[in-house]
Amino acid sequence: MARIMGGVGTSHTPAIGAAVDLGKTGDPYWVPLFKGYEPAQRWMAEAKPDVVIMVYNDHVNAFDFKIIPTFGLGCAEEFPIADEGWGARPVPIVKGYPELAAHLAQSLVLDEFDMTIVNEMQVDHGLTVPMTLLFGSPPQWPCRVIPLCVNVIQYPAPTGHRCYMLGKAIRKAVENWDEDLKVVIFGTGGMSHQIQGPRAGLVNAPFDKAFLDGLSRDPQRLVRIAPLEYLREAGAEAIELVMWLIMRGALRDHVKEVYRFYHVPASSTAVGNIILENAPEGRASKGARSKAKIAGTAAKRGARAGAPRTAGKSRGQARKTK
Ligand code: DHB
Ligand code: FE
């Protein structure tokens, strides 16, 4: 069975890619940002996924305004790097996984998500910058990548709730794939930013931090954030954050936050990174464990007060979940 071992949320600010490509990572402006991603790179080097599902948005590079799919699933063998105006980034070509992508397309469409099947597509900074941030600059990417391209460019973008539910359907599809594969899913973009107009440069750090907290502990709160609320509170481009909810939906209800980093600014963007792991199979989350502990303590109290033995038994069972 393929399984999603964890999720990565990260900004995809194009200036980060330019800093790497132009050898500026040691500049004082960039040092704190790249330092902040070092633990994430170490996590990824240990995780060694076979496949990455990269949820990102195209910025009018693969698609122009003639056709804008809400959810475009990259089903090609490979995905060339887009030239965004100053030459393609010097990063390896992205190798896809057409068989698994076709399975995802089938499963998601049968689950009533109307995916657009994309058999030819160039990928822009939305995909390549997260790859660079998490994998560094190897001669070839160490895993296959299935791009999932979400429209957040032209109104209306999908809601956070729909994105979250799509994530759940992705997890089901992955778990029904009969091959032992380790999968990591990314949600990219954000965090708060507005790149044009009178509010250009807007950053709302409390909003961003609450979003990171919500991913970790209360995604149900995040799925209720209305599209206009992202725009109003955190800038027009903050709507990119709905893509992080696809990543979150693809994980179990209870996750372990293994890393978090937040930095302002990179270009005009607040940069965030979070890494969430599914709690290991058969092991309850910390929240559930502490509930079990509380139940155990209550049972102990009950036992002292002469409660029936079954209370003690349930305490034993609660322990097993540790
Ligand atoms: C910027 C950030 C983005 O996410 C993006 O897609 C384009 C530009 C920026 O901050 O400059
Ligand atoms: Fe973007």
Side-chain angles (χ1 to χ4, degrees):
M1 178 179 106
R3 71 188 168 85
I4 296 183
M5 56 192 299
V8 176
T10 178
S11 304
H12 62 216
T13 316
I16 297 172
V20 173
D21 302 344
L22 301 172
K24 289 178 185 291
T25 55
D27 287 7
Y29 180 85
W30 288 112
V31 166
L33 181 128
F34 288 104
K35 240 192 146 24
Y37 272 86
E38 281 172 7
Q41 281 200 8
R42 283 198 292 274
W43 180 86
M44 191 58 93
E46 267 187 37
K48 286 194 182 46
D50 302 297
V51 181
V52 155
I53 298 174
M54 181 65 80
V55 183
Y56 78 109
N57 67 289
D58 178 68
H59 302 74
V60 207
N61 290 301
F63 306 108
D64 59 23
F65 283 108
K66 278 189 264 179
I67 296 179
I68 303 176
T70 297
F71 296 120
L73 187 65
C75 296
E77 196 80 54
E78 25 180 69
F79 302 92
I81 310 303
D83 178 350
E84 300 183 47
W86 43 88
R89 286 195 63 211
V91 295
I93 193 162
V94 172
K95 305 273 190 199
Y97 195 162
E99 297 83 359
L100 178 55
H103 163 77
L104 285 178
Q106 169 176 275
S107 182
L108 296 174
V109 170
L110 289 177
D111 273 341
E112 302 177 355
F113 289 91
D114 306 311
M115 312 305 287
T116 298
I117 293 161
V118 186
N119 290 321
E120 203 182 306
M121 178 165 72
Q122 299 195 343
V123 289
D124 72 8
H125 67 269
L127 182 145
T128 64
V129 167
M131 289 297 285
T132 299
L133 280 170
L134 272 289
F135 291 100
S137 303
Q140 300 299 328
W141 298 124
C143 60
R144 295 194 263 187
V145 180
I146 297 179
L148 169 50
C149 194
V150 180
N151 168 41
V152 289
I153 288 289
Q154 179 162 32
Y155 187 85
T159 62
H161 180 255
R162 181 134 180 91
C163 288
Y164 186 72
M165 296 312 286
L166 175 60
K168 285 187 179 290
I170 289 172
R171 177 171 144 213
K172 175 179 150 194
V174 167
E175 291 181 351
N176 282 331
W177 180 249
D178 196 16
E179 186 184 355
D180 225 1
L181 291 177
K182 284 192 285 182
V183 179
V184 167
I185 184 164
F186 279 60
T188 80
M191 297 193 85
S192 55
H193 65 307
Q194 168 127 5
I195 55 181
Q196 50 197 311
R199 297 201 310 163
L202 182 148
V203 166
N204 182 344
F207 179 94
D208 291 340
K209 289 180 179 164
F211 193 86
L212 292 169
D213 289 344
L215 283 172
S216 207
R217 298 197 285 269
D218 188 11
Q220 292 306 331
R221 180 179 67 77
L222 301 187
V223 304
R224 289 193 298 271
I225 300 176
L228 279 176
E229 196 177 334
Y230 286 101
L231 273 62
R232 189 182 62 232
E233 297 299 321
E237 279 73 35
I239 189 67
E240 290 182 343
L241 285 170
V242 294
M243 298 185 287
W244 296 40
L245 294 177
I246 297 180
M247 173 274 284
R248 183 62 187 86
L251 303 177
R252 298 215 181 105
D253 289 349
H254 299 292
V255 292
K256 186 168 113 189
E257 178 177 329
V258 295
Y259 186 59
R260 182 194 291 212
F261 172 62
Y262 184 72
H263 175 77
V264 178
S267 178
S268 52
T269 318
V271 169
N273 174 217
I274 194 163
I275 300 182
L276 303 169
E277 279 177 7
N278 275 326
E281 205 75 57
R283 188 186 156 96
S285 72
K286 206 172 159 197
R289 280 203 306 281
S290 49
K291 268 188 209 142
K293 258 190 201 157
I294 292 162
T297 314
K300 209 187 268 175
R301 253 188 262 121
R304 262 191 240 119
R309 280 296 297 155
T310 45
K313 208 171 183 183
S314 75
R315 181 178 142 223
Q317 277 160 355
R319 271 219 175 132
K320 267 190 213 139
T321 64
K322 277 194 200 169

